[in-house]
Amino acid sequence: MTQNLNLVVPVDPVPVQPGEHLPDPNPCNVSSLPMTRVDVAKPLVETTTFFEEQYSLVYSARGLQVDVVDVPFVINFTVAPRVREPGAYSRLVVTVRDAESLRLIADEGYNGIYGSAREKSIKLYSPGRYIVTLDGRFVDVRVMMGTEKVNAPG
């Protein structure tokens, strides 16, 4: 088994820009088609986790610098709202930025424009140095970062 070369380190200060407009993730309101059948002949995808942590966020943010060597790079996160009425208070925005320019590359989240699904992921297909920011209000979030490997069934 080869050693994973990806590296994750905390970032301080966290690059959060108050009031920053994030792009609409679905500007054309395209609905997704549910997958109804899994073809057994297709290769299986295996995720190797190299970072896993849980954070409690109450009007706070955490930043992580990630040096990505192996791609595709996957960020999976699971949100647990800490307030009974999640529509009223609990929110999370996960952003991925270029570490040098701080240009927004990808974003996903919980509540607001991101919807109420509690498990989501972001995939990046280019190696490089990124800043991953978890910006939340009244949520507990478990974040796992890893790489995917396709295994042909045999």
Side-chain angles (χ1 to χ4, degrees):
M1 175 155 215
T2 60
Q3 180 181 0
N4 195 312
L5 301 175
N6 296 321
L7 176 69
V8 179
V9 294
V11 172
D12 190 23
V14 179
V16 174
Q17 297 173 2
E20 177 180 27
H21 174 72
L22 295 172
D24 183 350
N26 189 3
C28 298
N29 292 325
V30 176
S31 59
S32 61
L33 296 174
M35 184 187 294
T36 56
R37 178 176 85 91
V38 175
D39 190 350
V40 181
K42 295 209 170 158
L44 303 174
V45 176
E46 177 184 313
T47 302
T48 303
T49 301
F50 60 83
F51 177 83
E52 185 170 353
E53 190 64 59
Q54 181 156 336
Y55 301 103
S56 291
L57 302 173
V58 179
Y59 287 104
S60 58
R62 294 294 174 105
L64 301 165
Q65 177 177 296
V66 185
D67 289 324
V68 175
V69 177
D70 301 326
V71 290
F73 168 60
V74 183
I75 304 166
N76 292 313
F77 60 94
T78 305
V79 178
R82 298 176 74 186
V83 179
R84 270 182 204 239
E85 297 293 323
Y89 298 107
S90 297
R91 299 235 192 295
L92 176 72
V93 176
V94 178
T95 56
V96 180
R97 298 177 183 282
D98 176 81
E100 302 300 318
S101 67
L102 295 183
R103 179 179 60 87
L104 183 65
I105 294 170
D107 66 296
E108 185 56 88
Y110 168 74
N111 241 338
I113 65 168
Y114 301 104
S116 60
R118 293 185 184 184
E119 292 185 25
K120 294 194 176 173
S121 66
I122 297 172
K123 283 187 188 180
L124 299 176
Y125 295 94
S126 298
R129 178 170 286 173
Y130 300 102
I131 304 259
V132 177
T133 303
L134 307 160
D135 188 3
R137 285 189 345 204
F138 301 106
V139 292
D140 292 326
V141 59
R142 173 167 290 288
V143 63
M144 292 160 286
M145 298 183 193
T147 56
E148 286 184 349
K149 185 172 97 179
V150 177
N151 294 328

